[in-house]
Each structure stands twice: as structure tokens, then as C-alpha cells.
Amino acid sequence: MAAQALALLREVARLEAPLEELRALHSVLQAVPLNELREQAAELRLGPLFSLLNENHREKTALCVSILERLLQAMEPVHMARNLRVDLQRGLIHPDDSVKILTLSQIGRIVENSDAVTEILNNAELLKQIVYCIGGENLSVAKALIVEISSVSPESLNYCTTSGLVTQLLRELTGEDVLVRATCIEMVTSLAYTHHGRQYLAQEGVIDQISNIIVGADSDPFSSFYLPGFVKFFGNLAVMDSPQQICERYPIFVEKVFEMTESQDPTMTGVAVDTVGILGSNVEGKQVLQKTGTRFERLLMRIGHQSKNAPVELKIRCLDAISSLLYLPPEQQTDDLLRMTESWFSALSRDPLELFRGISSQPFPELHCAALKVFTAIANQPWAQKLMFNSPGFVEYVVDRSVEHDKASKDAKYELVKALANSKTIAEIFGNPNYLRLRTYLSEGPYYVKPVSTTAVEGAE
């Protein structure tokens, strides 16, 4: 099949008007597996296909775009960066949007590849040209690519800011169009994942502007379009910098998260719950939440209630947030922090252990795994081990392999057993016989099936 595609590609290169050959090549390529094309990547001569894009013939352009999309997927980003620069640069200024989008997506692959991106970054002229070519585009793909390029290094961010592209993005972030604002905040959040990106956003006053927009959101009837993204931005910022500093400097962020957990809109509740999980994923963030006192206890009750009564997708998000909030690495298990996670667990429900056990018995693998993750998060904390040991049938439930039927559930159960078995306090709390059962489960692996003994019965057929 790949040989047939190569032969057709040579035909296309040889002929003046190869429309039939392009159609044939297009249909053959649909049937060729990508790995076969990868094996032939060195033989692929794509110059003629790129040339045909300039003929202003609608069907030829559409066929070439589709064919190139498939063939370029088979090429390594480094190879593209070295050998197809000129073709990609031309593609960026092509009058047809489908050609631009094809080109931008391939440049995106180059930017995401650490070896290939240096080919662009080491060539200042090429980088500038890419940035300026993209600058004329209002395609969201182009904007996303600008953010990707800006995120690579302080130098690449500098090119993008000098060209005015990042400034344009930030203007739209604070502009009047709420839908554009919602798209822009996702891109700005990506930029904030890098240290130089966060520095730039702080220097330009962008973080303060985002905070001010959240403050004014109450009086904006359209705020539900962009508010989730703005809150998510602060959640990520807090974890990457310092939860305490961000929450102290921008109190509206914490205020809004608490407010959104009470919302009747599941989108708002979901984002608030995710953000609480992100914020409480490290000790400093946990302490920030603890300082809000009874307010946070009420929030925990609400999340506990939602994990039982909300639609499935929101239940899973609540359980993931609970796992994140309750997990403490062994080296951080001070008496104070253990008391804190124990009190948080108690605040979730009247009998949280039974609540999560009940959820884990529902016929949804994702829910089952999310409930097991909660048990795994607390499995290395002595107070939780005592609760588990004193809960009738819980130890049997943990070592019972007949409960899980799919791979994800078996893996999740194995993680729970591993967390328990590897804890320093487990033998003392669970007792040696149970500790040995956990060790046996661990050594047998997640997918062990007990052999069924068959006894021959005399006279049986």
C-alpha cells in the first residue's frame, strides 16, 4: 500500500495537471497505516504538492491539503523544521485558510518538540517571519501557536511581544467580547505555566486586570461565559507560585471560589471544585484553606453532598478534589496536619468511609476508581487506617479481587493496596495477618486470578 502511494506521489510530481492522480493518491492514503508511511518518510518528496497549492484550483488545493496533512503526520518534527521551512513559510501567507491551518498545526508540532523547536529558535529570521506571518491571522489556531512560541523561552516571548501579538491577545482578554475573552484566558493560562510568562503577565499588570474583572463580574450578566476560565487561571497561578501570596494579594479569587461552589450552575460548581482541589494539592494551599475556618467546613460538606447526589461527571470531579485535599506525603505528616486532614474528612459527611464505599459500589468504573482514589489518598495516614480497620468488612473489601472487573478498577484497587502495604504504621494498626494479606496481594500484582481447582469425579464424562 505504501509503495502504491509513493508511486502515485512520483506521478503527481511528473505531470502538469495531475488531478486524477491526486484523487487516487488521496483515496490510497486513507488505507495506509501511519506506521507504514513513517517507514517511508525519507522517500516522501512533498515539494510538488506544496507547489500545486499555488495553482488557485479549489479541488486541487483541497486534495493537496488533505494529502499533506496525512503525509506530514508521518514525518518527524525535526525533519520538517530542517527540510520544509520554506514551504511552511509560504503556507503561512497562503490566501486559503485551510492551507494556513494545515501549516500552523505543523508548526505547532515543531514548537511542541524540544529538538525541533531549537531549529526555529536558532534561526532568528525564521522565527520573526513565523511570528509576523501569524500576526496577520485572526485564527484561534494562530493565537494558540503564538502562546506556544512565547512559552518556549524569554527570547521567543520577546519576539512575540515586539511584534505586538501578545499585546493584541491581552487587549482581547480585557475587551468587550465575552466569548473572545473566554478563549483568550485559556491561552493566557498556558503562558502562565512558565516562569518568564508569569513575570511578563505581572509586569504588564495583567494579573491585576483579571482580578478586577472578577470583582466586576457580579454586575455583568454575561460573566458566566468567562468567569470559570478566570478562576481557573488564578488556581493554576496559586499552585505554580505561592498559594498564600496569591490568595492574600487577590482575596476576590478565594471569595469567588467559595461563592461558585454554592452555584446552581454545574459548570460553575465544577470549576470551583477543581480549583479547590488544585489549591489544596500542596501543604501551603491546604493551610490557606484551613485559615478560612467554618467557611471551608461548609464547603467540604457541600462537596461531600455533591459527590453523592450530583450528576456522574460532577461526582467524579468532587471525588478527585477530595483526594487532592486529603493527601499528605509521609514526610509532611506532622501532628497538626494529620489532625487537619482528619477533621476535613469528618466534615464531608456523617459517615464518610461508608459514603465513599457506597459510591465505589455503583456500576460506573470511573466513579468506582474515583472513590478508590479517595481511600488511596488517606491510606498512609494512621487515623484513616484505624477508621478502615474498625469499619466492619472494610479490610475484606480491600483484598477482595472479585469486586473489580475492568483494568482501570483493578489498577486503582492495586494502588490502594500498595499505599496501605507500604505504610510504616499499617502492621501495627491492621495486625500482622492482615498486613500479610496486603503484602500477598501486592506481590501477586493487580490482575492475579486465583486458579480454580478441578477435582476429577469418577464416572464423569
Side-chain angles (χ1 to χ4, degrees):
M1 266 306 205
Q4 193 183 348
L6 283 172
L8 281 164
L9 194 57
R10 282 193 288 273
E11 280 296 288
V12 167
R14 197 174 56 79
L15 297 167
E16 283 285 308
L19 188 57
E20 284 306 317
E21 288 71 19
L22 283 172
R23 286 176 185 148
L25 177 57
H26 181 259
S27 65
V28 165
L29 280 175
Q30 306 307 311
V32 183
L34 208 52
N35 57 340
E36 278 187 38
L37 288 174
R38 284 196 183 108
E39 286 165 16
Q40 305 289 337
E43 305 294 315
L44 299 174
R45 302 281 173 266
L46 304 186
L49 288 171
F50 278 107
S51 301
L52 287 168
L53 290 171
N54 302 322
E55 288 194 7
N56 200 18
H57 181 291
R58 188 183 257 171
E59 190 187 354
K60 272 188 200 166
T61 300
L63 285 165
C64 286
V65 166
S66 187
I67 290 165
L68 281 166
E69 204 168 7
R70 186 78 178 144
L71 294 176
L72 289 169
Q73 281 299 322
M75 282 193 172
E76 289 299 320
V78 175
H79 179 84
M80 285 198 297
R82 284 179 188 155
N83 302 299
L84 298 175
R85 281 181 196 167
V86 176
D87 296 311
L88 292 173
Q89 279 168 252
R90 283 197 196 119
L92 285 170
I93 50 173
H94 197 280
D96 190 304
D97 271 0
S98 67
V99 178
K100 281 179 192 148
I101 289 170
L102 167 75
T103 311
L104 288 167
S105 64
Q106 297 310 316
I107 291 173
R109 285 180 64 214
I110 291 170
V111 171
E112 284 170 359
N113 181 293
S114 53
D115 296 325
V117 77
T118 52
E119 294 286 328
I120 292 182
L121 295 178
N122 292 338
N123 184 329
E125 274 312 301
L126 174 67
L127 179 62
K128 263 187 216 166
Q129 195 165 355
I130 288 173
V131 169
Y132 286 113
C133 286
I134 295 171
E137 293 312 311
N138 205 19
L139 300 162
S140 60
V141 188
K143 289 180 189 155
L145 193 50
I146 280 296
V147 171
E148 277 188 32
I149 292 173
S150 302
S151 301
V152 172
S153 69
E155 294 75 29
S156 62
L157 172 60
N158 194 29
Y159 281 125
C160 293
T161 49
T162 311
S163 71
L165 293 171
V166 177
T167 322
Q168 183 192 335
L169 180 71
L170 298 178
R171 251 202 318 274
E172 290 179 350
L173 178 68
T174 52
E176 294 305 307
D177 188 327
V178 291
L179 293 175
V180 170
R181 198 183 269 187
T183 313
C184 289
I185 190 65
E186 283 187 29
M187 297 178 193
V188 171
T189 303
S190 301
L191 187 57
Y193 282 125
T194 64
H195 180 65
H196 66 272
R198 288 196 296 282
Q199 271 185 323
Y200 173 77
L201 293 172
Q203 280 161 7
E204 295 296 309
V206 177
I207 302 173
D208 291 340
Q209 283 177 311
I210 294 172
S211 172
N212 291 338
I213 290 172
I214 296 177
V215 172
D218 285 344
S219 56
D220 180 357
F222 300 108
S223 63
S224 61
F225 285 108
Y226 58 82
L227 200 54
F230 278 42
V231 167
K232 233 185 257 184
F233 168 80
F234 270 110
N236 286 304
L237 196 66
V239 161
M240 285 178 287
D241 267 357
S242 151
Q244 193 175 338
Q245 282 176 10
I246 294 294
C247 294
E248 281 175 5
R249 184 162 179 193
Y250 304 103
I252 186 64
F253 158 59
V254 183
E255 187 59 41
K256 196 50 79 178
V257 170
F258 277 106
E259 205 179 285
M260 282 164 66
T261 54
E262 300 290 333
S263 170
Q264 296 307 306
D265 177 349
T267 307
M268 291 289 187
T269 314
V271 168
V273 163
D274 294 347
T275 306
V276 167
I278 290 168
L279 197 53
S281 61
N282 64 29
V283 167
E284 190 183 320
K286 291 185 206 300
Q287 287 167 328
V288 167
L289 292 167
Q290 176 71 347
K291 276 182 194 156
T292 62
T294 53
R295 203 157 177 210
F296 185 59
E297 275 185 32
R298 281 202 305 278
L299 183 145
L300 287 168
M301 272 174 67
R302 173 101 177 127
I303 293 181
H305 177 79
Q306 294 277 30
S307 67
K308 185 181 179 185
N309 301 299
V312 170
E313 195 236 351
L314 184 52
K315 277 181 183 169
I316 292 165
R317 288 165 83 171
C318 287
L319 292 166
D320 285 347
I322 291 167
S323 301
S324 175
L325 288 167
L326 295 175
Y327 177 69
L328 272 180
E331 66 279 6
Q332 291 177 330
Q333 290 184 10
T334 61
D335 289 347
D336 282 352
L337 288 174
L338 285 167
R339 269 195 298 276
M340 182 186 79
T341 52
E342 184 175 6
S343 72
W344 286 5
F345 187 73
S346 305
L348 290 163
S349 153
R350 269 205 294 274
D351 188 347
L353 206 67
E354 273 312 299
L355 166 72
F356 299 125
R357 210 163 138 187
I359 294 169
S360 78
S361 64
Q362 290 178 22
F364 299 101
E366 296 94 336
L367 264 183
H368 180 71
C369 292
L372 286 174
K373 252 174 81 178
V374 173
F375 292 139
T376 307
I378 56 175
N380 65 4
Q381 299 177 47
W383 62 263
Q385 293 169 2
K386 286 173 188 157
L387 269 183
M388 290 174 184
F389 181 66
N390 293 322
S391 173
F394 193 88
V395 178
E396 276 61 35
Y397 162 75
V398 171
V399 292
D400 180 3
R401 289 184 182 271
S402 68
V403 180
E404 285 75 30
H405 304 292
D406 58 285
K407 182 182 182 301
S409 299
K410 288 174 195 284
D411 288 341
K413 173 66 82 71
Y414 189 72
E415 287 305 312
L416 169 57
V417 171
K418 186 159 68 175
L420 285 167
N422 290 337
S423 162
K424 289 191 171 77
T425 51
I426 198 73
E428 185 192 336
I429 293 170
F430 270 35
N432 272 331
N434 286 324
Y435 172 64
L436 290 172
R437 288 165 80 188
L438 291 169
R439 298 295 327 171
T440 305
Y441 191 119
L442 201 60
S443 62
E444 287 169 347
Y447 317 117
Y448 175 76
V449 179
K450 202 172 182 180
V452 180
S453 57
T454 51
T455 313
V457 180
E458 197 176 334
E461 284 302 311

